[in-house]
Amino acid sequence: MNIYYPLFTMILLTLLVALRLLYFNTWAVLSGEVHIKHFRLLDDGIPPKLKAVAQHYKNMFELPVLFYLLCVLLIINDSATALDIQLAWGFVIFRILHSLVRIPNKNVHSRFGFFIGSYIMLAGGWINFGLKY
């Protein structure tokens, strides 16, 4: 097993979240629920459900960016160990669980727990990487 699998899984998750955003926004405009002009600045005309979908997509480019960078550095340096791969999978699994709770926008406590879990996995990965150099 190598670091590419969790990396590609995280990319797939991000693409699925983007597809969900595209679907919900397109449907809202086509159904007349929202006028397209409201998407310019995401003003008050956007319903809370669509804002939640947009926020979820935005989340995919916050903490995960550090995950992508770590994976690229591990690939460039050809230094991914079994521990690195386990931590990467841990991060991805927690992010998937986070998304599964985030998508219906339920249970903030569980969502926060999954966020903390992903944070711990990522911090562990960076600490492990830093100790190598």
Side-chain angles (χ1 to χ4, degrees), residues 18-70:
L19 188 61
R20 180 174 173 263
L21 175 69
L22 178 65
Y23 171 80
F24 274 88
N25 287 346
T26 302
W27 181 254
V29 171
L30 292 177
S31 70
E33 181 181 2
V34 176
H35 191 278
I36 198 164
K37 72 177 182 176
H38 294 293
F39 286 103
R40 285 190 199 130
L41 298 174
L42 291 177
D43 65 13
D44 292 336
I46 304 291
K49 181 179 180 178
L50 293 182
K51 286 182 181 180
V53 172
Q55 183 62 41
H56 183 209
Y57 180 69
K58 182 181 161 202
N59 291 157
M60 300 304 289
F61 295 96
E62 293 171 347
L63 193 62
V65 170
L66 294 175
F67 171 77
Y68 295 133
L69 177 60
L70 178 60

Side-chain angles (χ1 to χ4, degrees), residues 25-127:
N25 287 346
T26 302
W27 181 254
V29 171
L30 292 177
S31 70
E33 181 181 2
V34 176
H35 191 278
I36 198 164
K37 72 177 182 176
H38 294 293
F39 286 103
R40 285 190 199 130
L41 298 174
L42 291 177
D43 65 13
D44 292 336
I46 304 291
K49 181 179 180 178
L50 293 182
K51 286 182 181 180
V53 172
Q55 183 62 41
H56 183 209
Y57 180 69
K58 182 181 161 202
N59 291 157
M60 300 304 289
F61 295 96
E62 293 171 347
L63 193 62
V65 170
L66 294 175
F67 171 77
Y68 295 133
L69 177 60
L70 178 60
C71 288
V72 168
L73 289 173
L74 289 168
I75 291 166
I76 289 171
N77 290 302
D78 194 27
S79 63
T81 64
L83 178 58
D84 292 312
I85 294 167
Q86 290 168 350
L87 290 168
W89 273 119
F91 177 81
V92 172
I93 289 167
F94 275 115
R95 294 305 296 186
I96 290 170
L97 293 171
H98 180 268
S99 287
L100 290 174
V101 175
R102 181 76 166 111
I103 286 172
N105 208 23
K106 294 184 177 177
N107 201 328
V108 175
H109 296 294
S110 294
R111 205 168 81 201
F112 181 69
F114 294 139
F115 171 81
I116 293 299
S118 66
Y119 177 85
I120 291 169
M121 294 294 117
L122 185 60
W126 276 103
I127 290 167

